[in-house]
């Protein structure tokens, strides 16, 4: 259980402390607790438990809960409150926790009788883990927690949604796709949840269709496969329209369209394009634009059935030969590229990367491309601060793996106290801060803003600058119990990577990228 303690949960936490097989992972702030749980849930593909302290703790964690909701992380979040008997008093810290949690969770409820406590918690696990997954919140009043219950303690039941459409619906999808001359595929994290990477790749090869990631933050297709074109933009709808506008057939699987901050209000698809959408989240299918074939079904068996239908229709599979070697950085390579290339050379098999590098991410994945399921997790949902605690959660889930979290100097300062948790629990996760002394993503976005409005370029707003005063990340890490090193030039990289990987505890690299 990831959490930060409070008075109204004290009796519960006192009991937890005496359970031999129960580990309480202490965070110094609620955002950190949720972010660690998010990383843990993603690395295990299972539920994670978070404890918050009443309304103030829930309020602190709202932003990261939003990220968990957008990313479909199966979190079970509990928060205590003083007690049902005090409802009418409107006393200190009183708040409507369910109303607070509802906009950022899949389901939110409150237990008001001890005889329903375990039933509600079982339901919470079930809802969180049933596709489309998502965070669930349960308010637990102190007097309910302190009371005895005769409920039996039994595991929750998670229903299977491994469904495939009836054959006539699969045939409709085949008819829409098999004779396409300019097909494209848009994939999202529903592929990873369904373990459908192989099936997606097979269909892409049959259609000879380029594949674009949309709300795509895990390994949904080998990044170096020749048909994998990378990510669509997440900011501006016009960027997506340039990619999809010429396609005569579109297959959307395991995602929604479109996740940009500034999406187009008109459909970016060609008027004559045939669109097939497969997902277990019926709300997201045709949410914004009509589709021709809408299949609420599990991507894995449905893509397998679609592949069989395409084969029968004459689309012969053409498996690609996928090979990759670590490229050699050029003489003008950035320090991020030099570092990523060196990490790729020195890292052991099964390296797990938690990526919140943002503007430095393209340089990083160029040398550390995601290739195996479960080895790459990217930030999602728009909340900064996931990189360090997310890597800690992944390390808890995968103690045998080398886990490296990348974040920016701005993002790191949202949750820097997570380093203390890594030191306290002796978690040998590694952290790289891509330090460019500013919110560089905002620089890029405002340049687009100026261009769209014919505003002449000028100095970036001073509020984007993080250089005054200089943050000493190594000393800051040391104060939280974590060793570290600053890297300012390429000649320091090889030794820094060696030192990071050989260190037996958590370790931080302050990588000067700007």
């Amino acid at each position: 259980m990831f959490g930060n303690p409070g008075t109204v949960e004290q009796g519960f936490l006192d009991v937890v402390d005496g359970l031999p097989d129960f580990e309480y992972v202490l965070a110094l702030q609620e955002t950190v607790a949720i972010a660690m749980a998010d990383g843990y849930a993603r690395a295990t593909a299972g539920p994670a438990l978070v404890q918050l302290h009443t309304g103030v703790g829930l309020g602190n964690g709202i932003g990261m809960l939003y990220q968990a909701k957008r990313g479909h992380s199966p979190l079970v979040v509990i928060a205590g409150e003083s007690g049902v008997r005090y409802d009418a008093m409107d006393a200190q810290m009183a708040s409507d926790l369910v109303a607070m949690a509802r906009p950022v969770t899949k389901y939110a409820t409150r237990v008001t009788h001890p005889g329903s406590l375990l039933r509600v918690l079982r339901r919470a696990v079930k809802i969180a883990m049933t596709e489309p997954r998502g965070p669930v919140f349960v308010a637990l009043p102190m007097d309910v927690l302190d009371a005895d219950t005769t409920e039996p303690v039994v595991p929750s039941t998670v229903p299977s949604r491994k469904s495939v459409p009836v054959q006539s619906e699969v045939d409709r999808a085949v008819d829409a796709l098999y004779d396409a001359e300019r097909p494209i595929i848009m994939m999202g994290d529903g592929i990873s949840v369904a373990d459908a990477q192989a099936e997606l790749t097979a269909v892409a090869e049959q259609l000879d269709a380029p594949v674009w990631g949309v709300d795509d933050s895990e390994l949904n297709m080998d990044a170096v496969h020749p048909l994998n074109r990378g990510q669509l933009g997440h900011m501006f709808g016009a960027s997506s329209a340039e990619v999809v506008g010429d396609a005569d057939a579109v297959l959307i699987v395991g995602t929604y369209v479109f996740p940009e901050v500034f999406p187009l209000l008109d459909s970016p698809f060609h008027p004559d394009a045939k669109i097939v959408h497969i997902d277990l989240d019926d709300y997201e299918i045709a949410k914004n634009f009509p589709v021709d074939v809408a299949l609420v079904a599990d991507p894995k068996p449905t893509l397998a059935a679609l592949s069989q239908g395409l084969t029968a229709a004459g689309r012969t599979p053409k498996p690609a030969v996928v090979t990759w070697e670590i490229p050699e950085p050029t003489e003008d390579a950035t320090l991020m590229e030099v570092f990523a290339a060196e990490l790729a050379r020195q890292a052991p098999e099964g390296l797990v990367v938690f990526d919140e590098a943002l503007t430095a991410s393209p340089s990083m994945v160029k040398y550390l491309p995601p290739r195996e399921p479960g080895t790459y997790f990217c930030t999602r949902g728009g909340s900064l601060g996931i990189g360090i605690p997310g890597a800690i959660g992944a390390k808890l889930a995968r103690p045998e793996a080398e886990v490296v979290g990348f974040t920016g100097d701005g993002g790191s300062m949202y949750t820097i106290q997570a380093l203390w948790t890594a030191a306290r629990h002796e978690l040998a996760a590694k952290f790289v801060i891509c330090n460019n002394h500013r919110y560089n993503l905002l620089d890029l976005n405002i340049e687009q803003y100026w261009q769209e409005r014919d505003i002449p370029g000028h100095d970036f707003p001073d509020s984007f600058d993080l250089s005054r005063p200089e943050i000493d990340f190594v000393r800051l890490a040391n104060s939280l119990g974590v060793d570290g090193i600053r890297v300012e030039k390429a000649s320091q990289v090889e030794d820094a990577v060696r030192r990071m990987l050989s260190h037996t505890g958590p370790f931080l690299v302050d990588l000067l990228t700007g």
Side-chain angles (χ1 to χ4, degrees), residues 100-111:
M100 289 176 64
R102 188 170 286 126
V104 292
T105 57
K106 182 181 177 184
Y107 174 75
T109 192
R110 180 181 187 233
V111 181

Side-chain angles (χ1 to χ4, degrees), residues 39-40 43 352 354 389-404 426-431 504:
Y40 182 86
V352 176
F354 211 102
I392 293 172
K395 183 64 176 178
L396 272 165
R398 307 269 186 81
E400 77 292 344
E402 189 72 69
V403 179
V404 180
E426 300 179 341
L427 298 168
K430 309 303 192 294
F431 314 99
T504 56

Side-chain angles (χ1 to χ4, degrees), residues 20-185:
D21 298 323
F22 201 106
E23 183 174 8
Y24 186 92
V25 182
L26 177 59
L28 298 181
Q29 209 265 3
E30 290 84 359
T31 297
V32 175
I34 296 171
M36 288 191 296
D38 186 277
Y40 182 86
R42 295 178 69 178
T44 60
L49 178 61
V50 185
Q51 171 265 319
L52 305 178
H53 175 48
T54 194
V56 290
L58 176 58
N60 284 340
I62 287 291
M64 202 56 72
L65 266 179
Y66 176 82
Q67 170 145 300
K69 181 182 181 183
R70 280 291 182 179
H72 299 295
S73 290
L75 308 184
V76 177
V77 181
I78 59 174
E81 54 175 73
S82 57
V84 175
R85 58 182 169 172
Y86 299 117
D87 274 5
M89 300 299 293
D90 192 27
Q92 176 77 358
M93 293 196 294
S95 56
D96 188 340
L97 300 183
V98 173
M100 289 176 64
R102 188 170 286 126
V104 292
T105 57
K106 182 181 177 184
Y107 174 75
T109 192
R110 180 181 187 233
V111 181
T112 57
H113 191 279
S116 298
L117 176 60
L118 298 184
R119 179 178 294 107
V120 171
L121 290 175
R122 288 195 302 270
R123 184 182 303 156
V125 174
K126 183 197 78 168
I127 293 172
M129 283 294 293
T130 302
E131 292 93 347
R133 297 174 179 177
V136 170
F137 175 79
V138 182
L140 300 175
M142 190 174 184
D143 48 9
V144 174
L145 282 176
D146 284 347
D148 292 331
T149 177
T150 59
E151 281 190 276
V153 180
V154 295
S156 181
T157 299
V158 178
S160 172
R161 300 197 71 188
K162 295 188 180 300
S163 57
V164 64
V166 296
Q167 189 58 49
S168 60
E169 292 299 299
V170 175
D171 292 343
R172 291 180 61 223
V174 171
D175 290 343
L177 298 171
Y178 82 94
D179 63 350
E181 296 180 356
R182 302 179 307 280
I184 64 169
I185 296 175

Side-chain angles (χ1 to χ4, degrees), residues 273-505:
K274 298 295 185 182
I275 303 174
V276 177
H277 196 160
I278 302 169
D279 198 10
L280 277 169
D281 191 348
D282 58 288
Y283 171 75
E284 297 294 356
I285 295 178
K287 180 178 73 175
N288 292 318
F289 308 111
V291 303
D292 296 281
V293 183
L295 304 179
V296 182
D298 186 292
K300 187 179 181 72
T302 305
L303 286 170
L306 182 60
S307 179
Q308 292 175 1
L310 289 169
T311 299
R315 298 295 296 232
T316 305
K318 301 175 183 177
V321 177
V322 183
T323 59
W324 184 80
E325 293 183 0
I326 303 170
E328 190 66 30
T330 60
E331 290 186 4
D332 60 347
T334 65
L335 194 57
M336 179 73 252
E337 291 177 320
V338 174
F339 186 90
E342 187 62 35
L343 178 57
R345 279 191 287 267
Q346 292 193 36
E349 288 289 325
L351 174 71
V352 176
V353 171
F354 211 102
D355 178 10
E356 195 192 22
L358 298 176
T359 55
S361 182
S363 297
M364 187 265 289
V365 299
K366 177 180 178 180
Y367 298 90
L368 292 165
R371 302 210 59 199
E372 296 293 332
T375 61
Y376 177 80
F377 305 97
C378 188
T379 183
R380 58 193 183 187
S383 301
L384 285 178
I386 191 70
I388 292 175
I392 293 172
K395 183 64 176 178
L396 272 165
R398 307 269 186 81
E400 77 292 344
E402 189 72 69
V403 179
V404 180
F406 289 82
T407 186
D409 49 336
S412 72
M413 290 305 297
Y414 281 67
T415 53
I416 195 71
Q417 61 269 60
L419 294 174
W420 182 89
T421 299
R424 176 186 177 92
H425 291 272
E426 300 179 341
L427 298 168
K430 309 303 192 294
F431 314 99
V432 179
I433 294 181
C434 307
N435 186 356
N436 58 19
H437 295 96
R438 58 188 309 104
Y439 293 120
N440 191 48
L441 185 61
L442 297 182
D443 294 344
L444 302 179
N445 290 345
I446 202 167
E447 285 180 330
Q448 175 88 9
Y449 176 86
W450 291 337
Q451 180 181 356
E452 290 177 351
R453 289 159 178 79
D454 294 323
I455 298 174
H458 51 276
D459 291 341
F460 294 119
D462 189 57
S463 57
F464 296 2
D465 173 70
L466 299 174
S467 65
R468 307 188 315 275
E470 176 85 14
I471 301 171
D472 191 332
F473 285 104
V474 174
R475 289 180 61 194
L476 184 53
N478 292 164
S479 74
L480 295 168
V482 173
D483 199 1
I485 189 173
R486 184 178 175 95
V487 175
E488 299 179 345
K489 51 189 178 181
S491 61
Q492 299 172 313
V493 167
E494 183 177 357
D495 182 65
V497 172
R498 183 180 299 110
R499 182 175 167 187
M500 179 183 76
L501 294 177
S502 63
H503 192 72
T504 56

